[in-house]
Amino acid sequence: MSLRQLVWTLVSSELDEKLDEHKLHGTFLRSFQRLSSSGRGTVAPPDELIVKHLQGLGRQRGHDRHVLRFQSLRSRLHHSAARPVLALLFHLRGGDRGVVEDVSRPTLKEVRGGWHLASLANQKEISEAKIVRDLLFALQGVSSDCFDSSCEVDPAVLLTRPAWLLCHRILGLAKLHLRLSTDAKEAMGHGLLHQALCEALRKQLQGYYEVLAQLMSCEGLSLRSLWARLLAPMTRLHFLSQLCEGSRGVFGGALSSMVFASGFSGDIVAQDLAKEILRSVVKPLWSMIRAWMTEGELQDPYGEFFVIADASVPLEDLWNRAYSLELEMVPSFISLELARKILLAGKSVNFIRLCCRRTWSPEPLGTSELLPEEEIGASFDLASRVERLSSKTNEHLVKLLMNHFSLGEHALALRRFLLLGQGDFVQSLMDALQEELDIDANKIHKHQLMGILEMALRQSNAQFCSVDVLGRLGIKLRSPERGERGWDVFLLDYSIDSPLHVVFTPNIMQKYDRAFSFLWKLRRVSHALAASWNQHMALQRHLCRDQRDSLDRLSLLETRQTLHRCTLLRHEMHHFVQNVQSYVLEVLDTSWAKLQQGWQKSSDLDEVISQHERYLAAVEEGAFLAKGSEAILSGVSALLSLVLEFCTLQEQACASCFEVAAVEEEESVEAVFQAVRGRPFARSLAECRASLDHLASTFQMKLQLFLRALEERSRTQKL
């Protein structure tokens, strides 16, 4: 027995047999409609209404066993079937409301086919063709007799269960269309990529409207055939609806990533749709990339591009701080390496124009689409085009710095002067500055030293350097501390301007200053040892030439003992200084050779900067200035200070020896007394030997500590 027959039997058995057929049919159709469409309204569920009704009866009779019994029976019913059955039974209940609600309502014609529909309002039979036509209107967002503007069935329209199910499904498509139409209109103010997405949605809806136009022209279209023809558009609109939901709160490159990810599905239709929409969405992104790489301009009014600029950064920091990548905005189909090349190309264009003050017009990047005609996950030619344009721009910038701005020549000048690679110039400068730098640091002035610097340049092969290089060379004095002499605050200076500042930054120049201070002290110690040896040889020749038979043998013996101890200690110190100098010189030469090789292979400015930083790091490592070498640097500095102390002590010993020789030549006690009193700086040879012994033991102790520090660093590096 069908559901229709069951309802008819139930209605006939429950109603008064005296009711005429007119009222019986009206009650049947209302009951059948209530059973068919139960649960679609907003009224309270039938079980709640029944409970309230039974509670009212219980209060009248003084007990509530009817409520308990109903809840027990209700729990046995399946949830999906319980609601319509309870609604029907509650509708057919007896009592004060009556069974027939309004016998004056118009008669509805029963149609045994189950598809014809009628309206209670105008008592006219509604044909299936009219329902189809009204559904087509609803699918376009237009209200009609049967369906309102919110795509709901008019309450005055009665539908059979199958008809209601089909209408409900078709109206679901109409609601999707309404949401998509609303989303497609919300484009302004949400970003260029969002506007492109909305434009793609409108384009897809045009295809949907074309399908509806074809359906409108069809004759004899039934509900079933309409539903069959709407299956394909519904699939597409469901995908578009999911895409819109996923795009809420997402913008820029992240939006294109979301569209790209939506295409990774087993559904061929979804893949084709995602690829087609992605082509539209990335067009603004492609325009941004093209403008950035060719013009150095950020055409990004809504902040959607993955390259961002900091307008507060000064021009001298343009390369290092002005532009950066916003990683969240990098689309998933663009690798980070490719995004870095895009960033680098635009930075190079801006650096050429703003810092180098040169014009540069690279070849157009092209106007074709980002994606290929193949499947959405395939690699596309964006990488090759970006690589080609980026390589040309970066190569042009590197050549501009190397050839026009003589980057290599200035790096060589820094090696010659600040790293003391020009030996004859350093020797001449140190000889000329000896007296000036021996005084207190507070008493020397920069302008007094500039003349000495120019003289040292003219006396050495440094005079053959270019005018630009020599014009940049100068002197600067570090702020002196208490007790420091001129040697401790003296620095050579090299002026750097744009665009060379991108390689020789202020931080880099400070590292050059630190290296110069260490190397300058090392050369000063070597120079002092050489001067002490010359003094020793002069005294030795003097003693051999002026020695007479009458010379005091005791004085001669003490002099030779003193000079012998000086010679032994000087040789030991000279051996240490020579080893340190040889090591540092080897590091400088090897690092410079690697820098030249690295610059020859550099394809962009970042690599040029990186190669120079590695070169300077190697120099710092060789000069014990790197992080972790503090103990070694302290040990070397202490040993070099002892060498300078030795040179001062030997100078005093030699002065004493010269005085002894001069006094013995006069052979007068009175002369000896006056010489000793007249030269307070002279010491007795015995005191000099004692000081030398103490200095030698201290030097040995410091040397052992230094060697242990070297061994410790070697073990740490191996670990």
Side-chain angles (χ1 to χ4, degrees):
M1 184 180 294
S2 66
L3 176 63
R4 190 180 183 86
Q5 293 173 336
L6 286 173
V7 175
W8 176 259
T9 302
L10 181 60
V11 171
S12 302
S13 62
E14 292 292 332
L15 295 182
D16 191 351
E17 296 178 355
K18 297 180 179 180
L19 288 176
D20 57 16
E21 186 178 357
H22 158 78
K23 294 180 180 180
L24 189 61
H25 275 286
T27 304
F28 161 72
L29 288 178
R30 286 194 300 274
S31 301
F32 188 76
Q33 187 220 13
R34 184 172 298 234
L35 181 61
S36 301
S37 57
S38 178
R40 292 182 290 132
T42 58
V43 298
D47 48 355
E48 295 182 8
L49 296 176
I50 294 174
V51 169
K52 291 181 180 179
H53 178 69
L54 293 177
Q55 287 175 346
L57 293 178
R59 284 193 295 270
Q60 294 176 3
R61 299 176 183 178
H63 59 80
D64 57 352
R65 63 174 179 271
H66 294 294
V67 177
L68 297 177
R69 184 181 180 188
F70 167 75
Q71 291 177 345
S72 176
L73 294 173
R74 170 66 181 83
S75 63
R76 302 178 187 179
L77 292 175
H78 190 272
H79 179 73
S80 60
R83 188 166 182 173
V85 173
L86 291 175
L88 178 59
L89 293 175
F90 185 71
H91 173 65
L92 296 176
R93 76 191 187 282
D96 54 354
R97 290 186 57 188
V99 178
V100 182
E101 296 179 357
D102 187 2
V103 297
S104 64
R105 299 184 72 176
T107 303
L108 300 180
K109 182 181 179 181
E110 178 185 2
V111 182
R112 301 188 181 277
W115 289 101
H116 288 74
L117 306 165
S119 171
L120 293 173
N122 53 19
Q123 303 181 12
K124 291 183 180 179
E125 181 180 346
I126 302 177
S127 64
E128 187 176 7
K130 176 174 175 54
I131 291 298
V132 170
R133 187 195 64 180
D134 287 357
L135 283 172
L136 289 174
F137 286 151
L139 291 171
Q140 301 174 62
V142 180
S143 60
S144 59
D145 295 338
C146 298
F147 311 104
D148 56 23
S149 58
S150 61
C151 300
E152 296 289 348
V153 180
D154 193 300
V157 176
L158 298 178
L159 299 175
T160 61
R161 181 68 175 176
W164 179 85
L165 288 175
L166 283 179
C167 289
H168 178 72
R169 294 172 183 173
I170 295 174
L171 290 176
L173 177 59
K175 293 177 182 178
L176 283 178
H177 165 256
L178 286 179
R179 288 201 298 269
L180 288 173
S181 299
T182 303
D183 292 337
K185 294 176 182 178
E186 297 177 354
M188 301 306 296
H190 291 79
L192 297 179
L193 270 71
H194 187 80
Q195 294 177 25
L197 175 61
C198 292
E199 182 61 30
L201 291 179
R202 288 192 288 268
K203 184 178 179 181
Q204 293 297 324
L205 289 179
Q206 287 297 326
Y208 169 76
Y209 295 143
E210 292 175 2
V211 173
L212 294 183
Q214 294 176 0
L215 293 175
M216 292 286 287
S217 63
C218 293
E219 296 182 358
L221 192 64
S222 65
L223 277 174
R224 286 191 178 94
S225 59
L226 175 62
W227 168 246
R229 297 194 182 192
L230 290 176
L231 288 177
M234 179 168 285
T235 301
R236 299 174 70 89
L237 263 63
H238 266 298
F239 175 80
L240 297 177
S241 178
Q242 294 173 0
L243 200 62
C244 288
E245 289 296 326
S247 67
R248 299 187 188 281
V250 182
F251 66 100
L255 178 61
S256 61
S257 299
M258 186 272 298
V259 177
F260 180 74
S262 66
F264 290 93
S265 169
D267 189 351
I268 302 299
V269 176
Q271 292 180 9
D272 294 340
L273 268 177
K275 182 164 61 175
E276 186 175 353
I277 294 174
L278 185 59
R279 283 199 181 94
S280 300
V281 170
V282 298
K283 284 181 180 179
L285 181 63
W286 179 241
S287 299
M288 295 176 192
I289 293 176
R290 184 168 55 247
W292 170 249
M293 294 188 67
T294 58
E295 304 295 333
E297 297 180 0
L298 287 176
Q299 297 180 358
D300 185 21
Y302 297 99
E304 300 174 282
F305 196 32
F306 52 83
V307 176
I308 57 177
D310 187 352
S312 63
V313 174
L315 186 61
E316 54 267 22
D317 291 333
L318 179 145
W319 185 264
N320 294 317
R321 295 173 48 205
Y323 305 104
S324 60
L325 284 178
E326 184 71 25
L327 297 181
E328 293 182 356
M329 291 297 173
V330 178
S332 57
F333 50 85
I334 294 181
S335 65
L336 289 181
E337 178 63 22
L338 185 60
R340 192 194 73 85
K341 291 181 179 179
I342 294 173
L343 169 68
L344 194 59
K347 281 205 309 183
S348 298
V349 172
N350 281 320
F351 189 84
I352 291 172
R353 294 180 178 177
L354 299 177
C355 296
C356 300
R357 305 189 190 282
R358 295 292 185 275
T359 58
W360 169 245
S361 299
E363 65 178 10
L365 191 58
T367 57
S368 60
E369 297 175 343
L370 282 174
L371 296 179
E373 294 298 329
E374 296 80 15
E375 57 180 329
I376 192 169
S379 59
F380 45 91
D381 62 344
L382 172 65
S384 62
R385 281 182 280 174
V386 167
E387 178 71 30
R388 183 172 62 253
L389 180 58
S390 179
S391 297
K392 286 191 175 183
T393 304
N394 294 327
E395 182 181 357
H396 177 75
L397 176 56
V398 172
K399 287 184 178 179
L400 192 63
L401 289 175
M402 290 295 183
N403 300 331
H404 188 273
F405 293 99
S406 305
L407 176 62
E409 183 181 0
H410 292 294
L412 180 59
L414 290 171
R415 167 168 161 70
R416 285 176 172 175
F417 299 115
L418 269 64
L419 298 183
L420 308 182
Q422 189 75 32
D424 57 343
F425 162 75
V426 176
Q427 185 66 36
S428 177
L429 181 64
M430 198 162 285
D431 291 338
L433 290 174
Q434 181 71 43
E435 295 183 3
E436 294 289 338
L437 298 183
D438 275 339
I439 63 177
D440 189 86
N442 292 311
K443 296 181 179 179
I444 62 176
H445 302 282
K446 179 180 177 180
H447 67 275
Q448 295 175 345
L449 304 179
M450 285 301 299
I452 299 176
L453 174 63
E454 294 176 0
M455 181 187 67
L457 289 172
R458 290 194 298 269
Q459 292 177 351
S460 64
N461 288 330
Q463 63 181 313
F464 300 111
C465 293
S466 66
V467 177
D468 182 37
V469 169
L470 295 179
R472 294 173 182 267
L473 192 61
I475 290 175
K476 60 182 178 182
L477 301 175
R478 185 174 53 81
S479 298
E481 297 180 1
R482 187 176 181 180
E484 288 186 330
R485 293 192 295 171
W487 293 103
D488 302 314
V489 299
F490 176 81
L491 293 171
L492 282 180
D493 188 27
Y494 195 81
S495 178
I496 296 294
D497 54 11
S498 181
L500 297 176
H501 69 279
V502 71
V503 179
F504 307 117
T505 62
N507 182 49
I508 292 295
M509 296 308 297
Q510 288 179 3
K511 293 182 178 180
Y512 271 107
D513 289 342
R514 292 185 62 207
F516 173 83
S517 296
F518 174 78
L519 296 174
W520 180 251
K521 186 174 184 178
L522 187 61
R523 292 298 294 267
R524 176 196 171 194
V525 169
S526 179
H527 182 270
L529 283 175
S532 68
W533 181 83
N534 289 332
Q535 192 178 32
H536 186 139
M537 290 297 100
L539 177 60
Q540 189 72 31
R541 287 192 298 269
H542 177 75
L543 293 177
C544 293
R545 183 178 64 249
D546 297 336
Q547 183 179 357
R548 298 177 306 190
D549 294 339
S550 60
L551 185 64
D552 185 2
R553 293 182 179 274
L554 180 60
S555 298
L556 181 61
L557 180 60
E558 288 184 355
T559 300
R560 287 179 176 175
Q561 288 178 351
T562 303
L563 293 179
H564 179 68
R565 293 189 183 182
C566 287
T567 301
L568 293 178
L569 185 55
R570 184 178 63 252
H571 285 172
E572 187 175 351
M573 291 180 171
H574 181 265
H575 177 73
F576 166 74
V577 172
Q578 279 296 111
N579 276 277
V580 174
Q581 276 189 319
S582 299
Y583 167 72
V584 172
L585 182 61
E586 182 180 358
V587 170
L588 292 177
D589 291 341
T590 304
S591 303
W592 176 255
K594 290 182 178 180
L595 175 63
Q596 298 304 304
Q597 295 175 0
W599 274 358
Q600 290 177 0
K601 298 177 181 178
S602 296
S603 59
D604 57 59
L605 182 53
D606 275 343
E607 291 186 10
V608 171
I609 296 173
S610 177
Q611 291 290 342
H612 182 260
E613 289 177 347
R614 282 196 287 268
Y615 159 71
L616 205 55
V619 171
E620 287 186 310
E621 185 74 20
F624 314 112
L625 300 173
K627 186 177 180 180
S629 301
E630 292 82 1
I632 298 176
L633 178 62
S634 177
V636 172
S637 299
L639 288 169
L640 294 180
S641 298
L642 289 175
V643 174
L644 292 175
E645 186 178 346
F646 161 76
C647 293
T648 302
L649 185 60
Q650 180 183 309
E651 182 181 0
Q652 295 174 354
C654 289
S656 298
C657 291
F658 273 116
E659 187 159 343
V660 169
V663 169
E664 295 227 354
E665 286 179 0
E666 295 181 3
E667 297 181 352
S668 170
V669 176
E670 182 65 24
V672 172
F673 177 75
Q674 292 179 356
V676 172
R677 290 189 59 186
R679 301 182 184 272
F681 60 87
R683 297 182 180 182
S684 66
L685 296 181
E687 291 175 346
C688 288
R689 289 195 299 273
S691 298
L692 287 173
D693 291 341
H694 175 72
L695 189 62
S697 62
T698 304
F699 183 82
Q700 282 294 330
M701 180 187 67
K702 296 287 186 182
L703 183 60
Q704 294 301 319
L705 292 175
F706 170 72
L707 294 177
R708 280 198 291 270
L710 285 178
E711 293 176 358
E712 181 65 25
R713 187 180 73 164
S714 178
R715 285 195 298 268
T716 303
Q717 290 177 346
K718 288 181 180 179
L719 294 177

